[in-house]
Amino acid sequence: MKIIVVGAVAGGATVASQVRRVLPDAEIIVYEKSRDMSFANCGLPYYLGNIIESRNHLVQASAASFKEKKDISVKLYHEVTAVDTAAKTVTVLDHLTGQTSTDSYDKLILSPGGRAVRLPQLTDSDITFPVRTLEDTDIIEQHIEKKEVKNALIIGAGYISIEMIENLKNRGLNITLLHRSEQLLKTMDAQFLPHLTKLLTDHEIRLQLNDEVDTIDNGTVTFKSGLTGQYELIIEAVGITPNTEFLKNSSIELNDKGYIKTDHYFGTTAEDVYALGDAIETFYRHTGDRTTVALAWGAHRAASLIAEHLAGEKQAFQGLLGTNILRLFDHAIASVGISEAEVRNYDALQVTFDQYPTARYMPQSHPMHVSVYYRRDNRQILRACFFGKQGVDKRVDVIATAMMNNMTVDDLKDIEIAYAPPFSSPKDIINMIGYRAE
Ligand code: FAD
């Protein structure tokens, strides 16, 4: 069997490895349009923050090591520009030679990911960079060193912006966060906004909200509000768009935002074509609603299931919960489930409170903020969000486990949490959600 994979980073490299595990005799070719394969996207901000000391730690494999250890051919700088699902071929452009060729497949696996959305006002700016790839990261690192950057403007208020704030601040830069509205971090419940804003301002992050870049002249930015600022570095993190243009003339169906529609086996609408990662539309596990989630867990789960499917097992994907977490200085923010905006499609109730994650009398204990939405009719948990200093990761993972097992909000009272004063309370936050739910 000949398998072609498009994309060689999180989803692509993982699925190729998983396929090799279950199909030792398959011919596997991975096309990657850019310079690097199999690097740790999630670690890029921490490398720029000097938390990860060696760049080598970000690179998990090379084309040579894939060939040698797994007999997988990875062709870097090779972009798949078209797919013919009737002929079962892909068109490939070699960026090094400019040559175009055609390759055939028995099975095609697409993991082209997404790219950073670029603001038209900033396309000519030579101090503005996205943080998406190792190449971007190398350029930013060199720029910071060469220009001795002191002042950075971070545009956008998603998790990459928040991680870049922490890391560039730790590196000693003065940071301004620019966002076109007041709603920072859509994965977080809006009611926690004052806590997030305080955390940012306590760490001397300048907030410029309800504003946008109007023009840029060298390092001088004029904002739509009329304000101006001087920066040596601008990080642009205003969202991603799927890299699926090469599929537009194929029979592989995309949704109206360009995401590849997939079924419960990560099959696309074309026979023998699978897709995974940031570029796909899939579904929520607990509600069945269609969604897109640009996070690593789904790509890795899909990689295993696709490989097993190719090997003849028919284990269906159970869906995503969108479980996510991020650190900001000494705090963590996490959520799981449908978004707060999506909760509005349901007749939902909310339980919200603050509680110490450890026994209250323990030194250095700080209250955690909790918000949980659940359906009024069947008490199903739709979404939970946590904001605090300690134990946020544990609480969000417990709720995710409860949600995947269809526990109701009332069932949370019965979860027997491990208790000792440094870790929780005899009635832990998880139990209290159940007790406080109306
Ligand atoms: P990618 O890993 O982006 O790989 C897609 C690859 O396909 C790219 O290399 C691209 O060049 C290539 N490609 C695209 N089109 C073509 C084509 N036509 N031909 C050939 N090659 C093509 N997720 C988390 O869960 N937790 C985190 O903490 C986290 N932090 C992150 C931090 C940063 C800075 C970034 C950028 C992402 C982070 N993510 C995180 C998201 C996570 O990295 C992605 O969900 C994951 O990488 C998606 O895998 P993918 O294979 O879909 O896309």
Side-chain angles (χ1 to χ4, degrees):
M1 189 188 300
K2 182 173 172 190
I3 295 162
I4 289 183
V5 178
V6 180
V9 188
T14 311
V15 78
S17 298
Q18 293 294 326
V19 171
R20 170 56 73 231
R21 185 176 56 82
V22 296
L23 295 177
D25 299 326
E27 180 185 358
I28 307 173
I29 299 171
V30 185
Y31 288 112
E32 168 53 57
K33 71 176 176 184
S34 64
R35 186 191 70 182
D36 301 300
M37 68 167 288
S38 201
F39 59 86
N41 319 46
C42 310
L44 303 179
Y46 300 92
Y47 172 66
L48 289 170
N50 290 341
I51 304 283
I52 299 166
E53 282 172 17
S54 168
R55 182 184 177 285
N56 292 341
H57 293 155
L58 296 172
V59 184
Q60 290 154 343
S62 65
S65 74
F66 249 49
K67 187 72 196 162
E68 190 190 312
K69 292 188 186 147
K70 301 173 195 263
D71 192 21
I72 295 170
S73 302
V74 180
K75 295 183 182 292
L76 301 174
Y77 291 116
H78 282 65
E79 177 172 2
V80 172
T81 54
V83 177
D84 182 337
T85 55
K88 293 180 102 174
T89 59
V90 294
T91 307
V92 185
L93 169 64
D94 178 343
H95 283 284
L96 295 178
T97 63
Q99 303 278 312
T100 296
S101 58
T102 302
D103 200 357
S104 62
Y105 62 82
D106 296 311
K107 306 282 178 186
L108 175 65
I109 308 176
L110 308 170
S111 193
R115 62 180 180 280
V117 171
R118 306 303 304 265
L119 297 169
Q121 313 91 297
L122 290 167
T123 41
D124 294 333
S125 160
D126 58 3
I127 63 164
T128 302
F129 310 99
V131 190
R132 185 78 212 159
T133 65
L134 191 53
E135 271 181 286
D136 297 334
T137 308
D138 288 337
I139 293 168
I140 296 168
E141 176 64 29
Q142 283 158 19
H143 181 84
I144 292 174
E145 288 298 315
K146 196 166 148 210
K147 303 281 175 184
E148 296 178 0
V149 171
K150 299 267 181 309
N151 301 296
L153 178 69
I154 295 181
I155 309 178
Y159 75 88
I160 292 179
S161 298
I162 298 290
E163 290 182 346
M164 287 303 292
I165 287 173
E166 176 188 280
N167 281 291
L168 294 183
K169 184 69 188 171
N170 282 348
R171 199 170 165 152
L173 274 58
N174 302 315
I175 310 287
T176 300
L177 171 64
L178 174 72
H179 189 49
R180 64 181 177 183
S181 77
E182 279 170 10
Q183 172 65 69
L184 309 177
L185 200 60
K186 282 203 194 115
T187 53
M188 182 190 76
D189 282 16
Q191 74 180 77
F192 297 156
L193 210 49
H195 303 301
L196 176 58
T197 308
K198 181 170 182 320
L199 180 59
L200 288 164
T201 49
D202 283 352
H203 286 81
E204 296 172 338
I205 308 302
R206 225 186 121 255
L207 298 181
Q208 191 157 338
L209 307 180
N210 297 314
D211 208 352
E212 291 177 57
V213 172
D214 191 9
T215 57
I216 176 162
D217 183 7
N218 289 319
T220 305
V221 176
T222 304
F223 298 97
K224 293 211 168 142
S225 61
L227 295 168
T228 58
Q230 192 73 39
Y231 310 96
E232 299 94 40
L233 169 69
I234 300 176
I235 299 291
E236 203 178 7
V238 295
I240 66 163
T241 188
N243 289 322
T244 52
E245 287 76 7
F246 70 107
L247 301 174
K248 285 211 167 124
N249 295 322
S250 76
S251 65
I252 299 162
E253 212 178 309
L254 308 178
N255 75 9
D256 56 1
K257 293 197 172 125
Y259 289 85
I260 305 164
K261 291 189 179 179
T262 57
D263 63 20
H264 283 49
Y265 298 95
F266 297 99
T268 67
T269 49
E271 204 175 337
D272 294 323
V273 182
Y274 297 80
L276 70 161
D278 288 359
I280 68 163
E281 181 198 275
T282 175
F283 61 98
Y284 281 117
R285 179 179 182 118
H286 59 318
T287 63
D289 299 334
R290 302 296 294 177
T291 188
T292 61
V293 174
L295 291 171
W297 185 88
H300 283 256
R301 185 69 190 116
S304 299
L305 289 172
I306 290 171
E308 282 156 21
H309 198 253
L310 289 179
E313 268 192 45
K314 294 261 182 286
Q315 196 189 339
F317 181 49
Q318 302 295 307
L320 291 171
L321 288 171
T323 317
N324 66 86
I325 187 162
L326 66 96
R327 187 180 73 186
L328 179 60
F329 303 116
D330 52 357
H331 278 67
I333 307 158
S335 65
V336 54
I338 58 176
S339 70
E340 204 177 21
E342 289 164 332
V343 167
R344 290 188 205 114
N345 300 329
Y346 289 84
D347 182 9
L349 297 168
Q350 185 187 21
V351 52
T352 173
F353 58 95
D354 294 349
Q355 183 171 318
Y356 286 75
T358 67
R360 190 176 179 149
Y361 49 78
M362 291 301 285
Q364 274 127 31
S365 191
H366 293 266
M368 180 186 291
H369 312 294
V370 184
S371 160
V372 176
Y373 288 97
Y374 56 97
R375 280 173 62 152
R376 187 192 296 272
D377 55 357
N378 62 9
R379 319 281 286 174
Q380 180 193 36
I381 303 163
L382 292 170
R383 168 182 172 78
C385 183
F386 301 90
F387 186 111
K389 273 192 172 181
Q390 306 142 292
V392 167
D393 52 346
K394 162 169 141 175
R395 274 38 178 234
V396 75
D397 287 343
V398 169
I399 292 283
T401 310
M403 287 168 74
M404 70 167 278
N405 286 297
N406 297 317
M407 291 172 68
T408 66
V409 71
D410 309 296
D411 291 331
L412 298 178
K413 286 183 274 195
D414 278 321
I415 295 186
E416 192 176 342
I417 294 287
Y419 162 63
F423 300 103
S424 58
S425 312
K427 271 203 219 70
D428 184 70
I429 287 163
I430 294 291
N431 308 128
M432 288 309 298
I433 297 167
Y435 284 114
R436 288 190 177 232
E438 280 174 40

